[in-house]
Amino acid sequence: MRREGKHDGVFSLWYGKGPGVPTAAGTSFACQSRGHTSKHGGVLALHGDDHTAESSTTAHQSEFNFVNVMMPVLSPAGVQEIVDYGSTACDEPFTGAWVGLKCLKDTVESTAQ
């Protein structure tokens, strides 16, 4: 990227679930993850995974698609880690990087205090 944007520090979220992630994470994610965002911006790419196909038409696991395009992937072990990782990414978007956040069905559909 040429980094000629008018605004700096813009942070974005992307969400995709299951079979749609490989399509979106193809050429587009490969180019974006290597080109970064503005130097004080960032993108958190949330990907919903359902390994047992309980809430989807097919079973799927998306983190390999992100690894394939050289994006780091966060894999939270519980609801609190989803909150912690997400808020850290939104509060401090100073890397210019795209980062994947795995949202496993079993974790997302659970509760926490």
Side-chain angles (χ1 to χ4, degrees):
M1 291 182 74
R2 295 168 37 182
R3 297 183 185 262
E4 295 177 2
K6 294 180 182 179
H7 305 284
D8 202 9
V10 176
F11 186 80
S12 180
L13 292 172
W14 175 91
Y15 175 78
K17 181 179 178 187
V21 172
T23 305
T27 305
S28 174
F29 274 18
C31 293
Q32 294 301 325
S33 67
R34 289 182 184 104
H36 304 288
T37 65
S38 63
K39 66 180 179 179
H40 295 296
V43 176
L44 183 61
L46 307 166
H47 52 100
D49 281 352
D50 183 8
H51 297 174
T52 57
E54 291 180 41
S55 64
S56 305
T57 55
T58 62
H60 47 272
Q61 185 173 1
S62 303
E63 65 262 38
F64 296 111
N65 296 299
F66 289 102
V67 170
N68 188 44
V69 296
M70 299 180 359
M71 283 175 58
V73 179
L74 305 173
S75 186
V79 175
Q80 188 59 50
E81 285 189 0
I82 292 173
V83 173
D84 293 344
Y85 292 167
S87 32
T88 299
C90 292
D91 290 343
E92 299 182 30
F94 298 114
T95 64
W98 284 58
V99 177
L101 178 67
K102 181 182 180 86
C103 298
L104 187 60
K105 176 200 132 341
D106 295 334
T107 305
V108 173
E109 292 183 2
S110 63
T111 59
Q113 292 189 17

